[in-house]
């Protein structure tokens, strides 16, 4: 069954992008252990969401954007949906390219703009692997980067461990002010990534399409043994991927909560790096920067893959790989060129992603609950109920955020 694993680990890189690092690091530095519960809850919701996305791709042989492109008959509705999804993809690239650029600056002193260009070029090379060599080699490269990310971000927790009682207190859901709500929305936007929902269905489709077609009659008309086996493996795949991603995200917040509060400038990636270097040593700081670089390179490749799938599925348009890469890379380079504070841009981009979640999540829950779409593999009632509750929670959090910001609270 091991050969069936992989798509979730690739999609899971989206949960460890530089936006996650910025959001979790800022949350820990500003509020200590207060938002631990948001990371844990977000990861739990992400498990169900990513499994539903993968199931959709496995059973139907289509991605979520493809199905929506076929179901949305009104071309203006389809274009409007594409536009919001494309803005989400751009916000994703902003976070990932800026993170890679910051890492190159920390490690080698490279200018931020040139660091962004280098990050974009390397991500294009990684995408070429997927286009030329197929899904499996691409998965191996991304999983290698995932190992580097995990080591780089988690190392500091073992050198500067968190307070156990503080961690337990942080599991109690609560907010203190508008800033904590903003960061909670940012963490959720970084944890439950809309483009990861789109990408996972496509990754599963790409990996299992040939296998599914070869067994189509026996699988769908003679008991579903083949699809059932793939779905069992997918549950393991998602569990492993989210266990890794959740643990590393929690480690980032705990690292900041335990070692960075009260230190000036630690709500930025550069300031956090310097504080980690001064407090925990150069080796831990270098590991952090290397993890940030690997995070930017891996996640921007997955983000560009998702963006291409969004355009292909909804607009039936295939752009050349280079053109597609430039389409979402340019906004990130503009931000770097205008010298907007990188960490602020990262956190705001994650809030944008949080507002894009319902547009991916609600259709996913609806489609996977339909017999018309998944037949015998449609969601059980309790699965759909949990998906609805998760959707309502995320939408409510965003409404509260808007109200607090508008009222100046």
């Amino acid at each position: 069954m091991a050969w069936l694993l992989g798509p979730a680990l690739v999609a899971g890189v989206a949960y460890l992008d530089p936006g996650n690092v910025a959001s979790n690091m800022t949350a820990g530095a500003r509020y200590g252990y207060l938002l631990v519960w948001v990371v844990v809850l977000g990861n739990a919701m992400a498990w169900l969401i990513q499994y539903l996305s993968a199931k959709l791709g496995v059973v139907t042989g289509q991605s979520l954007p493809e199905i929506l492109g076929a179901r949305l008959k009104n071309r203006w509705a389809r274009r409007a949906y594409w536009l919001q999804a494309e803005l989400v993809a751009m916000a994703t690239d902003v976070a990932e390219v800026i993170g890679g650029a910051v890492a190159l600056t920390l490690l080698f002193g490279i200018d931020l703009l040139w660091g962004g260009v280098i990050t974009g070029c390397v991500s294009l090379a990684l995408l070429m692997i997927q286009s030329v060599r197929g899904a499996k080699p691409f998965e191996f490269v991304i999983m290698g980067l995932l190992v580097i990310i995990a080591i780089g971000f988690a190392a500091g927790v073992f050198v500067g461990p968190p307070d156990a009682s503080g961690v337990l207190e942080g599991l109690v859901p609560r907010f203190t002010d508008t800033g904590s709500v903003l960061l909670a929305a940012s963490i959720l936007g970084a944890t439950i990534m809309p483009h990861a929902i789109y990408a996972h269905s496509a990754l599963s489709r790409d990996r299992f399409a040939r296998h599914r077609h070869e067994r189509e009659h026996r699988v769908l008309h003679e008991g579903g043994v083949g699809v059932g086996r793939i779905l069992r493996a997918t549950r393991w795949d998602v569990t492993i991927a989210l266990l890794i991603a959740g643990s590393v995200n929690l480690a980032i917040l705990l690292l900041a909560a335990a070692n960075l509060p009260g230190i000036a400038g630690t709500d930025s990636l550069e300031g956090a790096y310097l504080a980690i270097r001064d407090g925990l040593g150069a080796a831990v700081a270098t590991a952090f920067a290397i993890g940030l670089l690997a995070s930017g390179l891996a996640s921007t490749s997955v983000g560009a893959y998702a963006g291409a799938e969004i355009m292909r599925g909804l607009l039936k348009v295939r752009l050349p790989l280079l053109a597609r890469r430039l389409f979402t890379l340019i906004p990130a380079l503009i931000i770097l060129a205008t010298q907007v504070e990188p960490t602020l841009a990262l956190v705001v981009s994650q809030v944008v992603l949080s507002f894009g979640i319902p547009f991916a999540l609600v259709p996913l829950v609806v489609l996977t609950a339909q017999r018309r779409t998944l037949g015998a593999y449609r969601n059980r009632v309790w699965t759909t109920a949990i998906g609805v509750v998760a959707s309502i929670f995320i939408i409510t959090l965003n409404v509260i955020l808007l109200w607090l910001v508008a009222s100046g609270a």
Side-chain angles (χ1 to χ4, degrees), residues 257-341:
N259 299 282
L260 303 185
I263 302 177
T266 52
D267 54 354
S268 72
L269 290 174
E270 299 91 334
Y273 168 83
L274 294 174
I276 292 170
R277 186 190 64 186
D278 295 340
L280 301 179
V284 175
T286 300
F288 172 81
I290 292 172
L292 183 63
L293 177 60
S295 167
L297 294 175
S299 55
T300 194
S301 301
V302 176
Y305 170 88
E309 183 61 32
I310 289 167
M311 180 170 286
R312 189 181 75 83
L314 290 166
L315 299 186
K316 312 301 180 186
V317 173
R318 286 182 180 270
L319 284 181
L321 194 61
L322 179 59
R324 175 65 232 179
R325 175 69 285 198
L326 290 174
F327 189 70
T328 52
L329 179 63
I330 289 174
L333 295 181
I334 291 174
I335 289 175
L336 290 172
T338 53
Q339 298 183 332
V340 174
E341 207 289 306

Side-chain angles (χ1 to χ4, degrees), residues 85-123:
E86 200 64 58
L87 290 174
V88 165
M90 288 183 179
T92 300
D93 239 18
V94 165
E96 294 158 351
V97 173
I98 288 177
V102 169
L104 287 170
T105 299
L106 296 176
L107 288 169
F108 307 111
I110 297 174
D111 179 77
L112 279 174
L113 180 58
W114 283 109
V117 172
I118 292 170
T119 301
C121 291
V122 174
S123 70

